[in-house]
Amino acid sequence: MTHQADSTGRYLVTFLALMVLLALTVAASFIHLGRLNWLAALSVSTVKTLLIAYYFMHLRTTSRLTWMAAVAGCVMLVILTALILTDSWTRSWLS
């Protein structure tokens, strides 16, 4: 498989976008959103993860099989996170 050489500008723009999202994460931590703080942090971290996977892990130039493996990993992460959150939310009746 042949790979094109990526431009430095694309990596620089991606890096700057990640730095802006980092600043947004820090700013959101100082804003009181109540029980939605975790949702704001998780949303920003999801966008950062997608940027890293798409550009730095070269998912945009790989085969469909690699995409399927990446999507399968994300689906498994969502399932496990849902199970953990369900367990956490239902424990209040124990105390």
Side-chain angles (χ1 to χ4, degrees), residues 9 21 26 38 61 74 95:
L21 288 169
V26 172
W38 67 271
T61 59
C74 291
S95 57

Side-chain angles (χ1 to χ4, degrees), residues 36-57:
L36 295 178
N37 275 345
W38 67 271
L39 184 62
L42 194 62
S43 300
V44 174
S45 68
T46 301
V47 173
K48 289 192 288 188
T49 302
L50 291 174
L51 275 173
I52 290 169
Y54 193 68
Y55 289 107
F56 292 127
M57 296 176 68

Side-chain angles (χ1 to χ4, degrees), residues 1-41:
M1 180 189 288
T2 62
H3 290 283
Q4 286 182 199
D6 290 327
S7 66
T8 306
R10 183 173 304 209
Y11 286 125
L12 184 63
V13 169
T14 306
F15 174 74
L16 291 175
L18 288 171
M19 290 298 110
V20 168
L21 288 169
L22 174 66
L24 183 65
T25 303
V26 172
S29 71
F30 289 107
I31 299 172
H32 179 66
L33 298 174
R35 294 179 62 112
L36 295 178
N37 275 345
W38 67 271
L39 184 62

Side-chain angles (χ1 to χ4, degrees), residues 51-90:
L51 275 173
I52 290 169
Y54 193 68
Y55 289 107
F56 292 127
M57 296 176 68
H58 304 285
L59 278 182
R60 63 187 172 87
T61 59
T62 60
S63 67
R64 295 289 179 214
L65 183 62
T66 307
W67 271 96
M68 285 177 45
V71 168
C74 291
V75 167
M76 193 65 198
L77 177 67
V78 168
I79 290 170
L80 290 175
T81 303
L83 289 172
I84 290 170
L85 289 175
T86 303
D87 182 49
S88 299
W89 290 337
T90 58

